[in-house]
mmCIF file of all heavy atoms in Angstrom:
data_model
loop_
_atom_site.group_PDB
_atom_site.id
_atom_site.type_symbol
_atom_site.label_atom_id
_atom_site.label_comp_id
_atom_site.label_asym_id
_atom_site.label_seq_id
_atom_site.Cartn_x
_atom_site.Cartn_y
_atom_site.Cartn_z
ATOM 1 N N ALA S 246 -79.228 -31.181 30.423
ATOM 2 C CA ALA S 246 -79.614 -30.699 31.685
ATOM 3 C C ALA S 246 -80.259 -31.686 32.611
ATOM 4 O O ALA S 246 -80.657 -31.571 33.702
ATOM 5 C CB ALA S 246 -80.463 -29.403 31.523
ATOM 6 N N GLY S 247 -80.658 -32.818 31.968
ATOM 7 C CA GLY S 247 -81.285 -33.922 32.629
ATOM 8 C C GLY S 247 -82.777 -33.821 32.610
ATOM 9 O O GLY S 247 -83.498 -34.504 33.468
ATOM 10 N N ASP S 248 -83.351 -32.898 31.913
ATOM 11 C CA ASP S 248 -84.899 -32.702 31.862
ATOM 12 C C ASP S 248 -85.452 -33.935 31.129
ATOM 13 O O ASP S 248 -86.629 -34.447 31.466
ATOM 14 C CB ASP S 248 -85.233 -31.461 31.045
ATOM 15 C CG ASP S 248 -84.783 -30.184 31.730
ATOM 16 O OD1 ASP S 248 -84.658 -30.230 33.005
ATOM 17 O OD2 ASP S 248 -84.400 -29.278 30.993
ATOM 18 N N ILE S 249 -84.852 -34.527 29.981
ATOM 19 C CA ILE S 249 -85.338 -35.587 29.247
ATOM 20 C C ILE S 249 -84.147 -36.320 28.867
ATOM 21 O O ILE S 249 -83.028 -36.054 29.002
ATOM 22 C CB ILE S 249 -86.154 -34.991 28.011
ATOM 23 C CG1 ILE S 249 -85.241 -34.048 27.159
ATOM 24 C CG2 ILE S 249 -87.503 -34.474 28.336
ATOM 25 C CD1 ILE S 249 -85.780 -33.696 25.932
ATOM 26 N N ILE S 250 -84.474 -37.702 28.312
ATOM 27 C CA ILE S 250 -83.490 -38.353 27.796
ATOM 28 C C ILE S 250 -83.733 -38.640 26.230
ATOM 29 O O ILE S 250 -82.788 -39.075 25.595
ATOM 30 C CB ILE S 250 -83.401 -39.855 28.483
ATOM 31 C CG1 ILE S 250 -84.783 -40.472 28.366
ATOM 32 C CG2 ILE S 250 -82.908 -39.753 29.933
ATOM 33 C CD1 ILE S 250 -84.698 -42.004 28.972
ATOM 34 N N GLN S 251 -84.895 -38.265 25.785
ATOM 35 C CA GLN S 251 -85.088 -38.355 24.327
ATOM 36 C C GLN S 251 -86.327 -37.440 24.039
ATOM 37 O O GLN S 251 -87.327 -37.350 24.884
ATOM 38 C CB GLN S 251 -85.465 -39.845 23.798
ATOM 39 C CG GLN S 251 -85.668 -39.930 22.447
ATOM 40 C CD GLN S 251 -85.815 -41.351 22.042
ATOM 41 O OE1 GLN S 251 -86.033 -41.744 20.732
ATOM 42 N NE2 GLN S 251 -85.508 -42.359 22.926
ATOM 43 N N ALA S 252 -86.459 -36.908 22.791
ATOM 44 C CA ALA S 252 -87.651 -36.098 22.355
ATOM 45 C C ALA S 252 -87.636 -36.249 20.879
ATOM 46 O O ALA S 252 -86.661 -36.568 20.161
ATOM 47 C CB ALA S 252 -87.471 -34.706 22.795
ATOM 48 N N VAL S 253 -88.875 -35.995 20.273
ATOM 49 C CA VAL S 253 -89.204 -36.239 18.963
ATOM 50 C C VAL S 253 -89.925 -34.990 18.203
ATOM 51 O O VAL S 253 -91.049 -34.792 18.360
ATOM 52 C CB VAL S 253 -90.202 -37.461 18.617
ATOM 53 C CG1 VAL S 253 -90.302 -37.755 17.253
ATOM 54 C CG2 VAL S 253 -89.609 -38.690 19.429
ATOM 55 N N PRO S 254 -89.026 -34.118 17.842
ATOM 56 C CA PRO S 254 -89.524 -32.900 17.108
ATOM 57 C C PRO S 254 -89.885 -33.352 15.602
ATOM 58 O O PRO S 254 -89.579 -34.454 15.312
ATOM 59 C CB PRO S 254 -88.437 -31.959 17.067
ATOM 60 C CG PRO S 254 -87.100 -32.815 17.110
ATOM 61 C CD PRO S 254 -87.469 -33.979 17.781
ATOM 62 N N SER S 255 -90.669 -32.521 15.017
ATOM 63 C CA SER S 255 -91.150 -32.813 13.635
ATOM 64 C C SER S 255 -91.097 -31.537 12.749
ATOM 65 O O SER S 255 -91.050 -30.454 13.251
ATOM 66 C CB SER S 255 -92.518 -33.575 13.642
ATOM 67 O OG SER S 255 -93.540 -32.588 14.083
ATOM 68 N N GLN S 256 -91.301 -31.852 11.499
ATOM 69 C CA GLN S 256 -91.533 -30.636 10.518
ATOM 70 C C GLN S 256 -92.744 -31.159 9.620
ATOM 71 O O GLN S 256 -92.995 -32.304 9.308
ATOM 72 C CB GLN S 256 -90.322 -30.481 9.777
ATOM 73 C CG GLN S 256 -89.902 -31.382 8.678
ATOM 74 C CD GLN S 256 -88.897 -30.870 7.662
ATOM 75 O OE1 GLN S 256 -88.980 -29.830 7.140
ATOM 76 N NE2 GLN S 256 -87.830 -31.672 7.382
ATOM 77 N N ARG S 257 -93.478 -30.146 9.147
ATOM 78 C CA ARG S 257 -94.577 -30.329 8.358
ATOM 79 C C ARG S 257 -94.296 -29.696 7.044
ATOM 80 O O ARG S 257 -93.935 -28.587 6.870
ATOM 81 C CB ARG S 257 -95.895 -29.803 9.018
ATOM 82 C CG ARG S 257 -97.121 -29.972 8.107
ATOM 83 C CD ARG S 257 -98.370 -29.172 8.535
ATOM 84 N NE ARG S 257 -98.832 -29.569 9.795
ATOM 85 C CZ ARG S 257 -98.779 -28.895 10.859
ATOM 86 N NH1 ARG S 257 -98.408 -27.543 10.744
ATOM 87 N NH2 ARG S 257 -99.286 -29.216 12.001
ATOM 88 N N LEU S 258 -94.544 -30.541 5.921
ATOM 89 C CA LEU S 258 -94.671 -30.016 4.542
ATOM 90 C C LEU S 258 -96.103 -29.698 4.061
ATOM 91 O O LEU S 258 -96.956 -30.537 4.207
ATOM 92 C CB LEU S 258 -93.963 -30.873 3.545
ATOM 93 C CG LEU S 258 -92.523 -31.403 3.847
ATOM 94 C CD1 LEU S 258 -92.084 -32.291 2.764
ATOM 95 C CD2 LEU S 258 -91.705 -30.133 4.065
#
Side-chain angles (χ1 to χ4, degrees):
D248 299 327
I249 51 172
I250 56 177
Q251 182 174 172
V253 187
S255 67
Q256 66 165 320
R257 179 192 296 118
L258 301 183

